Amino acid sequence: MKPRPAWHVYRMVLRLCAVALLVVGVLAYGFGVLTWLIGETDEACAQGLVYDGADFVRMRTSLLPLENTCLFADGTTRSGIPDWVNPLFFTGIIGAVVCASVSVWLNRNSNGRPTD
């Protein structure tokens, strides 16, 4: 007789995966916000410390996606947020939702097998 898969182990692994991905996403976003708050990118751009090819025009900021970008007169931009923050944040959140959804689906479709 063929052994049955251990559904409770799969669900537990998926739950741990969801929590881990959520934590990674939130930590990445928190690091980006911290960089934004203590980075003083606007001061560096306004004083010409970042780019001296054109005049500083304005800052473009957003919380979702996280953005803190200097805009210069010639179209050049300089971001104060590391490039990896937004992809890691969104990947972590989407991955957590997928893992949690599959765990719930396995729990509902266990076909009479005991659930935890």
Side-chain angles (χ1 to χ4, degrees), residues 59-116:
M59 292 296 294
R60 183 174 59 204
T61 59
S62 171
L63 286 174
L64 204 60
L66 194 57
E67 180 181 26
N68 189 30
T69 304
C70 301
L71 300 174
F72 295 94
D74 63 355
T76 303
T77 60
R78 163 66 164 83
S79 179
I81 306 294
D83 293 336
W84 54 267
V85 168
N86 284 315
L88 189 59
F89 169 68
F90 286 111
T91 301
I93 298 301
I94 291 169
V97 168
V98 168
C99 286
S101 299
V102 172
S103 176
V104 168
W105 181 80
L106 280 176
N107 199 32
R108 290 188 180 191
N109 294 316
S110 61
N111 295 330
R113 290 184 283 278
T115 58
D116 47 26

Side-chain angles (χ1 to χ4, degrees), residues 12-61:
M12 183 181 65
V13 168
L14 285 167
R15 288 176 189 152
L16 289 174
C17 174
V19 170
L21 286 170
L22 183 64
V23 167
V24 166
V26 168
L27 286 175
Y29 190 81
F31 179 80
V33 169
L34 185 65
T35 302
W36 181 10
L37 293 175
I38 66 172
E40 297 185 6
T41 305
D42 54 344
E43 290 294 324
C45 291
Q47 293 177 7
L49 301 174
V50 175
Y51 180 71
D52 58 359
D55 291 335
F56 172 69
V57 177
R58 67 180 177 95
M59 292 296 294
R60 183 174 59 204
T61 59

